[in-house]
Amino acid sequence: MSISYRDITKKFKAMSDSKRLQIIDMLSCGELCACVILESFHITQPTLSHHMKILSEAGLINDRREGKNIYYSLKKEVFDELYKTFAAIYKDKTDCICNSVEK
């Protein structure tokens, strides 16, 4: 498994904000309108847009426009891959990076 630490870091940085992590949790149940997400927080629409932009640029969410509304959903395949990658990093293996580091 080839690991892109830079890509993983970008995703984890996007998730490191408590509001963005809550948004991810909300989206884990399925697609939601931005208006529904906004109602759950005491933030402005531009602030929500900023959070969604960070999640989108990290490749964590999908968005689609329907009329004036924007709907968001998780890229579940990305989260599945993150889970597998994190498990591979944590797992002891013969080709582990720690075996190439002098101790």
Side-chain angles (χ1 to χ4, degrees):
M1 168 181 267
S2 176
I3 298 171
S4 170
Y5 295 107
R6 187 177 308 256
D7 187 50
I8 293 168
T9 301
K10 187 175 183 178
K11 288 174 176 37
F12 280 126
K13 280 184 180 181
M15 292 187 291
S16 68
D17 179 90
S18 62
K19 282 196 177 29
R20 290 193 291 270
L21 199 53
Q22 284 179 275
I23 291 167
I24 289 169
D25 193 9
M26 291 172 70
L27 294 175
S28 70
C29 298
E31 183 181 71
L32 289 174
C33 177
C35 57
V36 172
I37 297 169
L38 189 60
E39 289 173 2
S40 300
F41 298 99
H42 297 291
I43 58 175
T44 64
Q45 189 277 325
T47 300
L48 177 63
S49 292
H50 172 74
H51 286 302
M52 302 315 281
K53 179 180 179 189
I54 290 171
L55 292 172
S56 181
E57 288 177 350
L60 297 170
I61 61 170
N62 297 303
D63 60 78
R64 68 176 181 85
R65 183 172 292 278
E66 189 175 298
K68 291 184 177 184
N69 294 321
I70 300 176
Y71 291 85
Y72 294 100
S73 61
L74 293 182
K75 290 185 177 180
K76 293 194 181 213
E77 67 280 359
V78 172
F79 284 91
D80 289 343
E81 192 62 32
L82 272 176
Y83 179 79
K84 289 176 191 173
T85 301
F86 194 70
I89 289 172
Y90 183 71
K91 185 178 178 184
D92 188 23
K93 54 204 170 292
T94 56
D95 65 340
C96 182
I97 192 172
C98 63
N99 292 329
S100 64
V101 177
E102 284 190 42
K103 296 179 182 178

